[in-house]
Amino acid sequence: ESSGIERRKKLMHSSAEFLNQKYPGASVTVAFHNEYRNMKEVLDRFPEVTEIPLAVLRSMGVTPDTTPIRGGTDGAFLSFRGLPCPNLGPGGSNFHSRMEFAITEDMDRAVEMLTRIAESVGKLDPDLFRN
């Protein structure tokens, strides 16, 4: 993933150079500010962080959806600041629209899932997650 980002950055820089040469007097500049990286590179170092929630979901009779998602997530932000944190699912429907909603029973199941995850993590050796 990082190499793909670097290739895109180089393309943007070369595009700016091209435009500045093609249009004398132009002032095209490129600046990057890294926000959300792919949390997979952190989570791969701590497989328990994803294995435990998947096991909990299966124990609850839920088939986990492990389709990768992208975007700016709190999990990505936290993972790169030392707290490996996968996305556990939004628990709703029609996200980021006027028709977004969540069902009470689904929220109750989310609480159950989080409680079971906390119980499982509480049984682990705390040194497991130290860098």
Side-chain angles (χ1 to χ4, degrees):
E1 180 63 31
S2 294
S3 64
I5 291 170
E6 293 307 314
R7 280 195 308 271
R8 288 181 184 99
K9 286 180 178 180
K10 286 179 184 174
L11 175 63
M12 294 302 296
H13 281 296
S14 64
S15 296
E17 286 177 29
F18 170 81
L19 291 170
N20 285 330
Q21 289 175 3
K22 183 170 181 161
Y23 301 102
S27 179
V28 177
T29 59
V30 178
F32 297 100
H33 177 73
N34 292 327
E35 288 286 324
Y36 293 101
R37 294 166 49 196
N38 188 341
M39 69 178 93
K40 184 176 184 326
E41 67 184 85
V42 173
L43 297 178
D44 283 347
R45 295 193 325 251
F46 303 97
E48 298 83 0
V49 173
T50 50
E51 290 169 358
I52 290 171
L54 293 174
V56 165
L57 285 168
R58 289 183 187 105
S59 76
M60 294 172 63
V62 175
T63 302
D65 178 358
T66 58
T67 305
I69 63 168
R70 292 293 305 155
T73 67
D74 294 337
F77 182 84
L78 293 169
S79 291
F80 283 96
R81 282 163 182 75
L83 180 63
C85 183
N87 287 323
L88 297 177
S93 296
N94 299 331
F95 309 109
H96 305 306
S97 75
R98 293 182 306 133
M99 304 302 287
E100 183 172 351
F101 67 93
I103 298 170
T104 304
E105 291 82 4
D106 291 345
M107 296 294 101
D108 290 341
R109 294 283 284 172
V111 169
E112 178 185 355
M113 175 190 69
L114 292 171
T115 301
R116 289 185 182 194
I117 289 170
E119 289 169 349
S120 296
V121 171
K123 296 174 185 172
L124 297 175
D125 177 357
D127 289 332
L128 184 65
F129 298 104
R130 298 198 199 286
N131 285 332

